[in-house]
């Protein structure tokens, strides 16, 4: 049986590597419709997360880019993609040294791994 520590390490590694692989794909910008847009919309809190890169998504991306000191062009290229998913990985793990936040996605993963589903990545 795999220990919780190994599972946590594996999930952390996946959280860092998977977004980088997807970031290699074409940049996301206004007018694009794709599953990757849904991921960005969810990470930035854009509702509804419909997979269409419209004006709401564009504004959310620009706001995110300004807050992170990136070029605020509204395009999700490699740098923006990595920044978005690094910040979401931090939120899912409770941030840097802070209290761990509960997440329904983490709880779902825990249930699938037959672990106690408390929603805290720890």
């Amino acid at each position: 049986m795999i220990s919780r520590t190994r599972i946590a390490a594996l999930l952390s590694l996946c959280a860092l590597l998977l977004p980088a692989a997807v970031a290699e794909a074409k940049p996301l910008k206004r007018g694009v419709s794709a599953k990757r847009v849904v991921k960005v919309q969810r990470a930035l809190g854009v509702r509804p997360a419909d997979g269409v890169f419209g004006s709401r998504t564009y504004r959310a991306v620009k706001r995110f880019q300004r807050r992170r000191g990136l070029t605020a062009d509204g395009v999700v290229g490699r740098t923006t993609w990595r920044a978005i998913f690094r910040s979401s990985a931090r939120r899912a793990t409770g941030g840097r040294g802070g209290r761990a936040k509960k997440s329904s996605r983490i709880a779902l993963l825990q249930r699938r791994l037959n672990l106690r589903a408390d929603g805290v990545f720890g």
Side-chain angles (χ1 to χ4, degrees):
M1 180 150 208
I2 300 175
S3 72
R4 287 183 185 206
T5 307
R6 287 185 185 208
I7 291 171
L10 237 147
L11 291 172
S12 295
L13 183 62
C14 288
L16 293 173
L17 294 179
L18 289 177
V22 176
E24 302 299 321
K26 249 173 114 175
L28 297 175
K29 54 187 171 186
R30 272 186 159 176
V32 172
S33 295
K35 289 180 183 179
R36 293 182 306 132
V37 175
V38 172
K39 290 179 183 183
V40 169
Q41 290 171 324
R42 287 182 180 154
L44 297 180
V46 176
R47 301 289 180 252
D50 57 6
V52 178
F53 199 120
S55 59
R56 284 183 187 167
T57 306
Y58 177 77
R59 285 191 306 268
V61 169
K62 283 188 76 158
R63 186 173 45 247
F64 176 85
Q65 290 170 326
R66 279 193 301 274
R67 288 178 180 168
R68 294 291 188 274
L70 304 171
T71 302
D73 57 4
V75 175
V76 181
R78 179 179 297 160
T79 304
T80 300
W81 184 273
R82 287 182 178 157
I84 288 170
F85 289 97
R86 274 193 198 123
S87 69
S88 2
R90 258 188 239 118
R91 281 194 306 272
T93 60
R96 292 184 188 162
R99 249 180 76 152
K101 296 179 184 175
K102 292 190 175 187
S103 164
S104 59
R105 288 189 268 176
I106 301 285
L108 175 65
L109 179 61
Q110 289 168 330
R111 282 192 296 277
R112 288 185 178 168
L113 293 171
N114 294 320
L115 300 172
R116 191 179 109 248
D118 60 2
V120 177
F121 187 89

